[in-house]
Amino acid sequence: MQLYQNQKLKLYNSITGNKELFEPINEGYVGMYVCGPTVYNYVHLGNCRTFISFDLVFRYLKHLGYKVRYVRNITDAGHLENDADAGEDRIAKKARLEQIEPMEVVQRYTVDFHNTLARFNNLPPSIEPTATGHIIEQIDIIKDILDKGFAYEINGSVYFDVIKFNTTTKYGKLSGRNIEDLIHNTRELDGQTDKKNPQDFALWKKAEPQHIMRWPSPWSDGFPGWHLECTAMSTKYLGEKFDIHGGGMDLKFPHHECEIAQAEACNGHTPVNYWMHANMLTLNGKKMAKSTGNNILPNEIFTGDNDILSKPFSPAVVRFFILQAHYRSVLDFSNDALLASEKGFNRLMEAIHLLDELRVSPQTSGTDTASWRQKCYDAMNDDFNSPVLIAHLFDMVKYINQVKEGKASISEADLTLVKDTIHAFVFDVLGLVDVSASQEDSTDKLSGVVELLIRLRAEARANKDFATSDKIRDELAEMGIQLKDGKEGTTFSVS
């Protein structure tokens, strides 16, 4: 029997505004799509929060025994800044500034994205498709929408007809926007003259002569609209209707609203059963923005190379800090908050280490461990409520310390249950990493590398290659690793 058969998971559905019992389309299987990054710069911390939040969802669904297909895209096509109708696309703009090819920009920042999420211990998605790898599918969807009368072509560009679509179904159902209000509040802008209505959005844009990233289509050499790629890739890998679609709160409108419209225009029904949105991250009480300097990159946190934090913080501590808030709440990032999270994280890891040292008692435990275990599940079953889960884990941390001090007892069966539950929720579900264990592993690897260099230095000296021998010794010394030659051989110390 799979755990999901006994655990009733409820999640907050953005499209209804209610917590709903999760019932996948196919029993035992979950299809989940999350909007990935546009890879034209280093991934910022706000994006990382979104991807850590959905990593938690992915991990818990897997823990419950579901077979999950998690699709997260890479936007590597050159859409215009802010999905505008005129101007320069973000990837090409970066390529011009750095004097490299657009696909060099894509590669550089895709690698950074993967490396950063790996440091946060995020699991990779099941499929990670790219926008440029699905141009044919996007063109096919545009043809279908045109055939069904919900789009129009003009001067080589194709636009979705929002007003016509709204006559058959409601545009704005996810964001709560009213089409009449949108019309009233929209002013005409340069570059929108081809559109029937300012609310219409591009499915295909004809490329200007200077536009680098372009593909042939029945309408022009150009590029697809930003919203289209997610419709193409989600339906290709998860079907015309799937379980969960996630992303940041900022994507609700227009991106996700347009996805719904495109899919409904093609298939005649809503594409997703449950919409989930992670909230924003602020820094010292203010919105993060590069323009104001109120911004910090993940690597600057890990190295301490910044003017905001008092010291470096490990990726595990930052992840723990993020998961101490519910994914739908605004979270403020500050030095004091991280310091507090680091203390809590260390307390949690110390308690886990104590589990192997506790003496079991033949007496009945002084706490109901089975009830405590279900409370942990109840927290996660309540819309993935990680802060409440963490509070329950700390209830057990307190009890573990009482047992260690001889102020409480625990039976062997209960100790086994506590160990299994804590390891499952701390490492498998929350995805935390025991930093002390990883540091020991790093120390072992460092020792192995230095021992190899000592052997190579010994070989150089035996061959009277004193230049190489001295180079190894001197460069290690510059890194703070001192070699000491003695009768028993060469040893080292780290300063």
Side-chain angles (χ1 to χ4, degrees):
M1 181 182 290
Q2 301 291 355
L3 280 171
Y4 64 77
Q5 294 174 313
N6 291 328
Q7 302 296 336
K8 299 301 181 185
L9 171 63
K10 286 188 173 182
L11 53 82
Y12 182 85
N13 193 348
S14 297
I15 204 161
T16 63
N18 296 311
K19 285 183 188 175
E20 299 176 2
L21 183 67
F22 178 63
E23 295 179 324
I25 294 167
N26 299 303
E27 186 181 346
Y29 294 84
V30 178
M32 179 169 77
Y33 185 89
V34 174
C35 295
T38 301
V39 281
Y40 70 101
N41 212 329
Y42 296 112
V43 62
H44 63 75
L45 201 58
N47 274 350
C48 290
R49 185 200 182 184
T50 295
F51 300 127
I52 288 170
S53 297
F54 285 102
D55 185 60
L56 175 74
V57 172
F58 183 34
R59 285 172 174 274
Y60 188 59
L61 291 171
K62 283 165 65 74
H63 173 75
L64 290 180
Y66 286 110
K67 290 187 171 154
V68 187
R69 177 175 288 175
Y70 174 19
V71 182
R72 186 185 67 212
N73 72 299
I74 294 285
T75 296
D76 60 345
H79 304 298
L80 304 188
E81 291 192 84
N82 303 315
D83 197 37
D85 289 297
E88 189 172 17
D89 79 64
R90 290 176 287 187
I91 291 172
K93 183 176 181 180
K94 190 78 169 182
R96 177 174 56 76
L97 291 172
E98 298 191 8
Q99 296 187 313
I100 57 177
E101 283 288 322
M103 279 302 161
E104 286 183 78
V105 172
V106 166
Q107 178 69 7
R108 176 180 298 173
Y109 296 113
T110 300
V111 169
D112 166 72
F113 174 66
H114 289 153
N115 288 344
T116 301
L117 290 194
R119 295 199 70 182
F120 280 124
N121 200 35
N122 274 28
L123 298 174
S126 316
I127 303 173
E128 192 174 51
T130 64
T132 58
H134 295 76
I135 299 294
I136 292 171
E137 289 85 350
Q138 293 176 74
I139 289 173
D140 286 344
I141 289 175
I142 296 170
K143 288 178 181 175
D144 195 7
I145 296 173
L146 280 167
D147 288 345
K148 288 173 178 169
F150 292 113
Y152 55 92
E153 184 267 331
I154 187 164
N155 296 332
S157 293
V158 182
Y159 295 99
F160 189 93
D161 193 332
V162 171
I163 304 297
K164 184 169 183 183
F165 174 76
N166 198 60
T167 61
T168 61
T169 184
K170 179 173 170 52
Y171 178 81
K173 64 183 78 175
L174 177 64
S175 59
R177 282 167 165 81
N178 186 298
I179 191 69
E180 288 77 19
D181 293 338
L182 288 173
I183 293 169
H184 179 72
N185 293 325
T186 304
R187 56 192 175 87
E188 286 290 342
L189 299 173
D190 290 340
Q192 291 188 330
T193 51
D194 283 349
K195 294 181 178 183
K196 289 182 181 177
N197 305 287
Q199 295 74 30
D200 296 348
F201 56 89
L203 297 174
W204 187 266
K205 284 291 291 179
K206 180 180 180 180
E208 298 297 326
Q210 72 274 15
H211 197 97
I212 303 171
M213 300 182 82
R214 59 173 67 214
W215 293 267
S217 80
W219 314 286
S220 65
D221 273 8
F223 51 95
W226 172 39
H227 315 302
L228 191 64
E229 64 179 82
C230 288
T231 296
M233 290 184 276
S234 61
T235 53
K236 175 167 182 173
Y237 297 108
L238 298 174
E240 290 182 2
K241 190 160 190 173
F242 55 94
D243 299 300
I244 297 171
H245 193 315
M249 196 77 77
D250 57 320
L251 297 180
K252 253 190 187 182
F253 186 87
H255 185 54
H256 290 160
E257 201 71 76
C258 294
E259 278 191 62
I260 292 172
Q262 289 165 165
E264 289 191 359
C266 281
N267 305 316
H269 57 76
T270 187
V272 179
N273 281 347
Y274 305 92
W275 286 89
M276 296 179 67
H277 292 92
N279 215 323
M280 64 186 286
L281 192 66
T282 58
L283 177 58
N284 292 325
K286 297 176 184 176
K287 184 178 179 181
M288 285 195 184
K290 289 178 188 172
S291 56
T292 62
N294 197 51
N295 186 61
I296 189 168
L297 293 172
N299 198 52
E300 293 171 340
I301 303 168
F302 309 152
T303 62
D305 185 18
N306 63 80
D307 299 323
I308 295 169
L309 304 175
S310 59
K311 61 189 281 295
F313 291 92
S314 72
V317 167
V318 180
R319 183 183 177 99
F320 182 64
F321 160 75
I322 287 171
L323 294 176
Q324 281 183 294
H326 190 263
Y327 77 91
R328 284 194 290 116
S329 64
V330 175
L331 174 61
D332 189 53
F333 185 92
S334 69
N335 188 66
D336 288 347
L338 274 181
L339 287 169
S341 287
E342 188 174 56
K343 284 183 182 177
F345 176 83
N346 290 336
R347 275 185 61 218
L348 181 59
M349 292 303 152
E350 285 162 7
I352 291 171
H353 295 160
L354 277 178
L355 285 170
D356 292 327
E357 301 173 18
L358 294 184
R359 294 179 64 181
V360 295
S361 168
Q363 302 170 10
T364 306
S365 298
T367 187
D368 184 350
T369 53
S371 173
W372 165 78
R373 179 177 183 269
Q374 187 55 47
K375 284 180 181 177
C376 292
Y377 278 103
D378 290 344
M380 287 302 292
N381 291 340
D382 182 19
D383 193 30
F384 308 97
N385 203 323
S386 56
V388 173
L389 166 64
I390 290 169
H392 291 318
L393 292 173
F394 274 104
D395 287 341
M396 187 52 66
V397 166
K398 183 178 179 182
Y399 191 76
I400 290 166
N401 285 314
Q402 289 175 343
V403 174
K404 175 66 177 174
E405 294 163 6
K407 297 176 182 176
S409 61
I410 193 165
S411 69
E412 187 168 353
D414 281 342
L415 180 59
T416 299
L417 185 144
V418 168
K419 278 184 179 179
D420 290 347
T421 304
I422 281 188
H423 278 80
F425 280 104
V426 170
F427 301 122
D428 297 342
V429 175
L430 293 176
L432 300 177
V433 174
D434 187 346
V435 178
S436 60
S438 62
Q439 285 174 341
E440 288 170 12
D441 184 49
S442 296
T443 302
D444 290 342
K445 288 178 180 176
L446 173 64
S447 298
V449 171
V450 176
E451 293 293 348
L452 172 62
L453 289 169
I454 288 172
R455 290 196 297 273
L456 292 174
R457 177 171 173 262
E459 288 177 14
R461 292 173 76 183
N463 294 329
K464 300 193 184 314
D465 182 2
F466 298 113
T468 299
S469 168
D470 292 345
K471 183 179 175 65
I472 292 172
R473 180 199 62 208
D474 295 344
E475 293 199 9
L476 284 174
E478 286 178 12
M479 295 182 224
I481 300 170
Q482 308 295 327
L483 299 185
K484 295 181 182 177
D485 296 318
K487 292 180 181 178
E488 303 298 320
T490 303
T491 58
F492 75 95
S493 61
V494 180
S495 58

